[in-house]
Amino acid sequence: MRTQVAIVGAGPSGLFLGQLLHKAGIDNIIVERRTEEYVLGRIRAGILEQVAVDLMEEIGVSRHMRAEGLVHEGIELLFDGQRHRVDLKKYSGGKTVMVYGQTEVTRDLMQARAECGLTTVYSADDVEVHGFDTSSPGVSYLKDGARHQIACDFIAGCDGAHGVCRASAPKAAIREYEKVYPFGWLGLLSDTPPVSHELIYVNSPRGFALCSQRSLSRSRYYLQVPLTDQVGQWSDQAFWDELRLRLDPAAAARLVTGASLEKSIAPLRSFVTEPLRFGRMFLAGDAGHIVPPTGAKGLNLAVTDVKYLATALEEFYAERSAAGIDDYSRKCLNRIWKAERFSWWFTQLMHSFPAEGEIFGKLQTAELDYLFSSEAGLRTIAENYVGLPLAA
Ligand code: RFL
Ligand code: PHB
């Protein structure tokens, strides 16, 4: 097989990139190690910044999002027993966010890809990337007992945090920055109405909690848990009891509980790879960087990476200019580090860090109190949460 761009990974990065390239007339094949059902079954992000909403429009996959997505103009932070609202729209110069699940985004992109007749190879084993330091790179994989080869001009490493692309970059050419947090998030999805019409981020003495949602009848909740906890230890009842204890009395009284549709624990980590380009291979999305989910930035950063990458490749094919691909890493990393900073700061501000002693909680409350007493403070939260502007 031959294509112009071989994309490794059919998560949001790979699927968005595939549609953008197709729209620009650039041929691409996606190679994914899991099945289509497995990819669709993963419950992850819930918040789209304007940049992701715009991209869904641009590639013509916004019909469901427009019908089912919920526009949110604010979020609430609960600390010291009281809820405080951040008016995102007011303090970010009119921007909002969209509540629309990654599962739904993925489904819409997969449908669009199928309608365009583009090739996606699912259940591809032992994927390998070759020759990206030459002008004729390739990707190979095992399927149905045989090794298949794809010759291409470029490789897009959209294969997430544990993919093969980053792992194949020469060790001497890559630098990795990492921070691991001493806790995880236990998530629960249920067909129950959300406790509030906006998201509530909770700083409580018992640990962080988040009340999120997927629709007016489907809720997504998270609890900060020790890294040693196993999902099996947490019955639905235990989850709801603990969540109620972390909420304020009014929210606790309103909480509607029900059977979980899904429960899982995700570790929290900040991670950045530099650079994001190795010859004719590019890293995009979680393959190049991870943020703790507190700032809701992961999916949105993936979207900006692939937008920059698609533009650079389009420039290469249309004008035979390498300026865009030469600048890809720098342009992405500038935005990535700012999102990393916000996600790290918001994580530190809202979670319990028992090892830091009681003073840490007091300092968090003082900082939160200050932020809500200051227009600059509210702007800082709002501007970062809705997403910083894209580079020109
Ligand atoms: P993905 O989604 O991990 O997709 C990578 C794909 O590559 C495949 N793959 C391979 N394929 C072939 N060969 C190999 N060797 C391969 N190795 C891996 C994988 O099977 C997979 O299909 O990465 P991508 O596309 O870069 O997308 C990134 C986002 O998924 C991620 O950043 C977000 O989910 C992060 N995130 C959130 N982001 C937001 O913007 N807003 C949120 O509200 C938000 N909430 C979250 C989150 C992530 C969470 N978890 C579980 C980490 C909440 C949680 C709990
Ligand atoms: C989610 O709904 O899954 C979600 C929302 C906001 C976050 C993280 C996760 O900050």
Side-chain angles (χ1 to χ4, degrees):
M1 277 194 284
R2 170 152 188 99
T3 190
Q4 288 174 295
V5 182
I7 301 173
V8 185
S13 303
L15 290 166
F16 265 119
L17 180 64
Q19 289 312 110
L20 279 169
L21 293 178
H22 175 67
K23 194 165 164 270
I26 301 170
D27 186 40
N28 62 88
I29 294 177
I30 299 184
V31 179
E32 161 65 49
R33 78 165 159 198
R34 302 285 190 178
T35 64
E36 190 167 353
E37 297 69 43
Y38 183 95
V39 173
L40 268 179
R42 288 191 295 230
I43 310 293
R44 289 185 169 177
I47 300 289
L48 302 182
E49 293 175 3
Q50 192 62 48
V51 53
V53 171
D54 291 348
L55 197 68
M56 296 280 280
E57 301 276 9
E58 188 184 328
I59 57 181
V61 294
S62 61
R63 192 165 56 86
H64 287 123
M65 180 188 71
R66 283 286 160 223
E68 298 158 21
L70 303 168
V71 174
H72 279 202
E73 298 186 356
I75 53 170
E76 286 189 305
L77 270 56
L78 165 55
F79 60 93
D80 216 10
Q82 294 212 319
R83 269 187 270 159
H84 306 256
R85 184 168 189 268
V86 182
D87 188 329
L88 295 174
K89 193 169 183 182
K90 175 173 171 191
Y91 290 110
S92 70
K95 292 196 198 149
T96 56
V97 292
M98 173 83 85
V99 171
Y100 191 64
Q102 180 167 332
T103 313
E104 286 68 33
V105 172
T106 307
R107 178 202 61 201
D108 298 346
L109 289 166
M110 280 178 172
Q111 262 171 23
R113 189 166 175 86
E115 279 161 23
C116 297
L118 298 171
T119 308
T120 311
V121 181
Y122 286 99
S123 307
D125 275 335
D126 192 28
V127 175
E128 288 179 5
V129 289
H130 314 275
F132 49 84
D133 51 348
T134 72
S135 56
S136 48
V139 170
S140 72
Y141 58 93
L142 277 178
K143 192 167 163 110
D144 304 326
R147 185 156 279 280
H148 303 260
Q149 310 278 346
I150 304 174
C152 57
D153 300 331
F154 295 100
I155 299 169
C158 299
D159 49 349
H162 309 289
V164 64
C165 293
R166 191 183 68 242
S168 304
K171 294 284 164 283
I174 193 166
R175 183 109 197 244
E176 296 179 347
Y177 301 85
E178 181 175 40
K179 177 177 173 63
V180 175
Y181 298 86
F183 42 73
W185 278 19
L186 169 65
L188 180 147
L189 186 73
S190 63
D191 272 334
T192 52
V195 67
S196 176
H197 65 289
E198 290 180 341
L199 270 63
I200 311 176
Y201 289 83
V202 183
N203 173 315
S204 100
R206 300 183 66 91
F208 171 83
L210 170 60
C211 305
S212 183
Q213 53 193 261
R214 290 291 177 272
S215 69
L216 298 177
S217 58
R218 183 167 282 189
S219 300
R220 178 72 166 161
Y221 294 104
Y222 295 98
L223 292 175
Q224 174 184 352
V225 294
L227 276 175
T228 45
D229 277 18
Q230 306 286 326
V231 187
Q233 285 169 248
W234 283 90
S235 66
D236 289 357
Q237 191 58 48
F239 185 99
W240 295 120
D241 290 347
E242 182 59 35
L243 177 60
R244 220 178 261 114
L245 290 170
R246 296 187 190 187
L247 295 177
D248 59 292
R254 273 183 55 94
L255 182 68
V256 180
T257 63
S260 62
L261 302 172
E262 190 262 5
K263 252 190 322 221
S264 53
I265 296 183
L268 267 68
R269 154 166 115 102
S270 298
F271 175 85
V272 182
T273 302
E274 286 188 349
L276 296 169
R277 177 195 174 192
F278 303 90
R280 285 182 168 241
M281 177 171 78
F282 304 90
L283 303 180
D286 280 16
H289 43 82
I290 307 287
V291 284
T294 324
K297 291 279 164 267
L299 172 60
N300 295 298
L301 275 182
V303 165
T304 12
D305 288 357
V306 298
K307 199 172 153 59
Y308 290 148
L309 183 54
T311 308
L313 290 171
E314 207 178 326
E315 221 174 275
F316 176 85
Y317 284 110
E319 301 162 24
R320 288 282 143 193
S321 156
I325 56 180
D326 286 345
D327 201 30
Y328 170 73
S329 238
R330 186 204 63 78
K331 208 164 167 181
C332 290
L333 284 164
N334 184 283
R335 196 161 192 275
I336 289 163
W337 276 115
K338 288 177 186 149
E340 289 284 348
R341 186 212 66 82
F342 174 66
S343 305
W344 157 81
W345 170 79
F346 202 32
T347 300
Q348 303 255 106
L349 188 63
M350 298 304 290
H351 290 73
S352 293
F353 289 81
E356 303 291 327
E358 263 183 90
I359 191 171
F360 198 80
K362 287 284 187 191
L363 293 169
Q364 284 177 327
T365 310
E367 181 166 2
L368 283 159
D369 243 346
Y370 159 70
L371 289 165
F372 279 89
S373 71
S374 148
E375 181 160 335
L378 288 163
R379 271 192 199 287
T380 294
I381 301 175
E383 286 175 354
N384 282 281
Y385 194 85
V386 301
L388 295 173
L390 294 188

